[in-house]
Amino acid sequence: SITLPLAADYDERPRQKVDRTQGKPAHSDYMVESVEKDGSINIKLYPKTGRTHQLRVHCAHLNGLGHPIVGDMLYGGAQSTRLHLHALCIVFIHPATGEEFILETHTNIY
């Protein structure tokens, strides 16, 4: 689990920063899926709150995972043609009925 409060970084927009005095609570769980021969790691991230750039900051920050997502040029990820962050599932609570609504992908992204 990673719990680091986040706030807008007004000096470096659109970045967010860890701010223990004025930041809003942000919590993410994660699970290592596999370790590749080149040393890269595939993980699943489970955001429990929904802060802007939450997963990106939680991965990159030294008090988080300490490793930016591949291709995340805003938070220090290695050069790539794209950001290697994909949603496999998104869950919403329907505003009128209160029912859980789940959107899932059925394709293999790896």
Side-chain angles (χ1 to χ4, degrees), residues 16-98:
Q16 301 291 304
K17 64 181 179 179
V18 173
D19 186 332
R20 296 185 194 284
T21 57
Q22 295 181 342
K24 294 181 181 177
H27 180 90
S28 303
D29 289 336
Y30 67 95
M31 182 174 61
V32 174
E33 286 289 298
S34 63
V35 178
E36 303 301 320
K37 290 180 182 179
D38 66 0
S40 62
I41 301 170
N42 293 312
I43 62 173
K44 285 188 177 177
L45 298 162
Y46 302 92
K48 300 303 180 185
T49 51
R51 305 287 174 223
T52 301
H53 296 185
Q54 175 177 321
L55 296 176
R56 296 168 71 180
V57 175
H58 280 179
C59 285
H61 196 274
L62 291 175
N63 294 122
L65 295 180
H67 297 281
I69 297 169
V70 173
D72 189 350
M73 299 314 297
L74 191 58
Y75 295 99
Q79 292 286 341
S80 178
T81 57
R82 62 181 177 79
L83 177 64
H84 290 238
L85 177 63
H86 309 278
L88 296 176
C89 176
I90 300 174
V91 180
F92 298 93
I93 303 301
H94 192 282
T97 66

